[in-house]
Amino acid sequence: QNAPLELVSMRHAREGNTLTVSGLVRNPRGAAAEARITAVVFAFDKSGTFVASGRAPLDFTTLQAGDESPFVVTIPNVSEVGRYRVSFRTDGGMLRHVDRRSDQLRLATATRPEASR
């Protein structure tokens, strides 16, 4: 079993009834290469009911150990989205991933200069 992918960043944008989720995923150092990874986004309404899904390949076809790739998934015709979930898969099935976004926030907070007094 390969080391889990790392979700480094993620954000979303709404334009009319279209939801676009984009982000950056990393294959950790020391991991085996992964090829033809697809990002999959599931959208749910405010009560947690599934609304729609979308998928798109990562920008890079193959992720070697330590490589990062952006992804952009667009889901049209959704008006009531309360939350969404991202996952990653290959032709062989689902890939495990860990959310490293809080690591980035802690790093940014730790390196931010103190406000002038």
Side-chain angles (χ1 to χ4, degrees):
Q1 182 99 358
N2 199 9
L5 296 176
E6 299 173 339
L7 180 62
V8 178
S9 67
M10 187 170 62
R11 64 183 176 274
H12 70 274
R14 294 293 309 247
E15 187 171 320
N17 286 337
T18 300
L19 172 68
T20 301
V21 177
S22 59
L24 186 67
V25 66
R26 175 175 47 226
N27 194 14
R29 294 195 188 286
E34 291 285 355
R36 295 185 306 278
I37 301 171
T38 299
V40 181
V41 176
F42 296 97
F44 304 89
D45 65 16
K46 292 179 179 162
S47 66
T49 302
F50 173 77
V51 176
S53 66
R55 61 181 56 219
L58 298 187
D59 284 3
F60 298 112
T61 305
T62 301
L63 286 183
Q64 300 293 334
D67 284 353
E68 296 179 344
S69 178
F71 64 89
V72 178
V73 177
T74 301
I75 305 174
N77 304 317
V78 291
S79 58
E80 298 291 326
V81 176
R83 66 180 183 87
Y84 57 89
R85 182 177 66 214
V86 66
S87 61
F88 302 95
R89 63 179 307 120
T90 64
D91 294 339
M94 296 296 289
L95 295 175
R96 294 178 307 136
H97 78 275
V98 294
D99 189 345
R100 296 285 188 223
R101 292 177 297 156
S102 62
D103 293 349
Q104 298 299 315
L105 180 60
R106 280 195 300 272
L107 179 61
T109 303
T111 58
R112 182 181 305 150
E114 289 191 37
S116 301
R117 294 180 194 223

